[in-house]
Amino acid sequence: MPDLFSEFRIKSVTLRNRIAVSPMCQYSATDGMVNDWHLVHLGALARGGSGLIVAEATGVSPEGRITPGCTGLWNDAQAEGWRPIIRFIEEHGAVPGIQIAHAGRKGSAARPWEGDCHLAIDDSQAWQPVGPSPIAFGGILPRVPHEMTLQEIARVRADFVAAAQRARDVGFKWLTLHFAHGYLAQSFFSPLANQRTDDYGGSFENRARFILETLAAVREVWPDHLPLTARVGVLDYVEGEQPMEESIELIRRMKAAGLDFIDVSMGFNTPDVSRVPWGEHAFLAPIAQRIGREVGLPTATSWNINDPVKTDELIRTGQIDLAMIARALLSDPHWPYHAAQALGRELPQNVLPPPYAFWLKR
Ligand code: 8OZ
């Protein structure tokens, strides 16, 4: 069995280890453009030795952002901005990935440290959020979304395709579709957010349609030799969510539509997260393992993955193929180095760049 420091191969991509940077919003872009912040933030993570770096939820359109500070890929200038970041990540031995997203009814929000709530309607940076049905998320995101027309659904699909093409053209090697966390695609799948009576709502087939069509359209342009992955919210821990069997069937159909890898996450389709077992280390891992086995896809999960010994065990026992690590890597980009120490392992050659290895091994 592989361990935390084993390579991971998928399609033409090889990761130097099983430590992956989970996408983490930085809310620090202007007009969707990355800047020095993103280079230093992601560069530090590459320097720190992780195998895969998935850049934050990046809007496929201005209205697809969560906040006005989110990154975007709806124009070529934004795409070009990623090139130095991609170059730095690759020069330091990591694989550059990006998560493309549409925030749906949770969009048009203030940055978390500026309130996290929907922007006022008359705020110059606000926009009208959209969704499958005119049902507000609630809590601090009370705005009722505009119910998307079929034409608008087709437009968002085309926006995902265009963003995937830009990601491909500037050199990302790993693409993650954000189909989780109550954002647009996830909200089409969830009966908690979708009460449409047309082909995009009601039955399982109809609620799955937005995700499956978007995935299939992206697969047409995303190179066959590169992994096409998705982060999917498989449960919400609230009454009224879809049964797990539906989530598993969705992922089975996603595999048939060209998905190569699944990152199992939550729904967050309502403000009620009181039943999420936050305190348990890697609490989604058993669910990810079940999905990976039943569907037959390489699998990752995230959430509260921070203990090196327990994380190594998740890999060695075959529960997950990759550990998507977020906060632990933010607080310590050199988590891979410290994990090797905690595991009593000789430091793999490729975890520290030579100028650091030289000093730290003395
Ligand atoms: C965790 C929970 C809810 C949303 C994202 C900003 O997925 C998020 C998010 C993360 O982009």
Side-chain angles (χ1 to χ4, degrees):
M1 268 294 180
D3 65 27
L4 194 58
F5 288 99
S6 306
E7 283 185 350
F8 178 67
R9 289 172 197 219
I10 180 166
K11 297 267 177 107
S12 66
V13 167
T14 301
L15 310 182
R16 60 184 158 188
N17 56 46
R18 306 304 181 101
I19 303 164
V21 180
S22 196
M24 282 178 279
C25 294
Q26 298 296 298
Y27 311 108
S28 300
T30 305
D31 296 329
M33 289 283 297
V34 289
N35 54 48
D36 289 352
W37 175 260
H38 304 87
L39 174 64
V40 173
H41 158 63
L42 297 169
L45 292 160
R47 186 192 66 191
S50 295
L52 170 69
I53 298 183
V54 185
E56 66 194 81
T58 294
V60 299
S61 61
E63 310 75 39
R65 292 174 296 174
I66 305 166
T67 74
C70 291
T71 51
L73 266 181
W74 66 84
N75 67 43
D76 294 344
Q78 291 162 346
E80 290 302 317
W82 286 99
R83 279 192 198 272
I85 299 174
I86 292 168
R87 187 165 59 231
F88 188 93
I89 290 172
E90 290 193 313
E91 278 171 3
H92 292 83
V95 169
I98 190 165
Q99 176 172 245
I100 56 173
H102 192 300
R105 66 183 181 161
K106 294 172 98 170
S108 194
R111 292 173 183 82
W113 55 89
E114 289 169 354
D116 216 16
C117 48
H118 269 144
L119 294 166
I121 294 181
D122 58 2
D123 188 303
S124 63
Q125 294 207 291
W127 60 88
Q128 170 62 52
V130 299
S133 300
I135 304 169
F137 175 79
I140 60 171
L141 298 173
R143 281 188 65 184
V144 176
H146 160 70
E147 178 174 9
M148 292 172 76
T149 64
L150 297 182
Q151 213 177 4
E152 287 163 346
I153 290 172
R155 174 64 204 257
V156 169
R157 185 163 66 241
D159 289 340
F160 267 92
V161 169
Q165 286 173 308
R166 292 193 179 96
R168 174 198 71 197
D169 292 346
V170 294
F172 281 108
K173 302 295 185 307
W174 178 288
L175 186 68
T176 301
L177 303 173
H178 200 344
F179 292 167
H181 301 174
Y183 297 121
L184 186 65
Q186 166 89 83
S187 70
F188 266 89
F189 186 55
S190 174
L192 296 163
N194 182 349
Q195 292 181 2
R196 296 176 77 96
T197 53
D198 64 3
D199 287 351
Y200 288 88
S203 65
F204 163 78
E205 269 73 20
N206 286 353
R207 282 181 288 109
R209 195 177 307 282
F210 181 97
I211 284 181
L212 293 173
E213 286 183 350
T214 304
L215 172 68
V218 168
R219 184 78 267 184
E220 299 265 309
V221 301
W222 185 250
D224 272 345
H225 69 94
L226 295 178
L228 178 56
T229 81
R231 196 174 195 193
V232 177
V234 300
L235 82 173
D236 284 77
Y237 297 97
V238 297
E239 300 290 332
E241 64 183 342
Q242 75 281 353
M244 181 58 71
E245 289 66 32
E246 277 197 7
S247 295
I248 294 175
E249 182 57 24
L250 172 70
I251 296 166
R252 199 174 279 123
R253 294 189 192 198
M254 291 172 76
K255 180 183 175 186
L259 188 74
D260 297 312
F261 180 97
I262 179 74
D263 177 2
V264 171
S265 192
M266 288 179 274
F268 295 132
N269 283 291
T270 78
D272 180 7
V273 293
S274 58
R275 278 156 57 189
V276 178
W278 298 112
E280 280 172 47
H281 189 268
F283 56 87
L284 286 175
I287 296 169
Q289 177 178 26
R290 174 179 170 198
I291 292 173
R293 295 237 164 113
E294 289 192 21
V295 176
L297 272 179
T299 306
T301 194
S302 53
W303 295 102
N304 206 7
I305 301 185
N306 49 55
D307 180 88
V309 173
K310 290 179 185 167
T311 308
D312 183 54
E313 194 169 304
L314 291 174
I315 307 290
R316 282 192 295 100
T317 55
Q319 288 195 62
I320 50 174
D321 297 284
L322 281 190
M324 306 298 302
I325 302 183
R327 284 168 239 225
L329 276 165
L330 266 196
S331 81
D332 178 13
H334 287 287
W335 190 92
Y337 168 56
H338 294 128
Q341 288 178 327
L343 290 165
R345 295 242 344 210
E346 195 183 333
L347 188 66
Q349 282 291 336
N350 53 15
V351 166
L352 284 177
Y356 277 33
F358 165 69
W359 290 107
L360 291 172
K361 283 182 173 167
R362 275 163 74 99

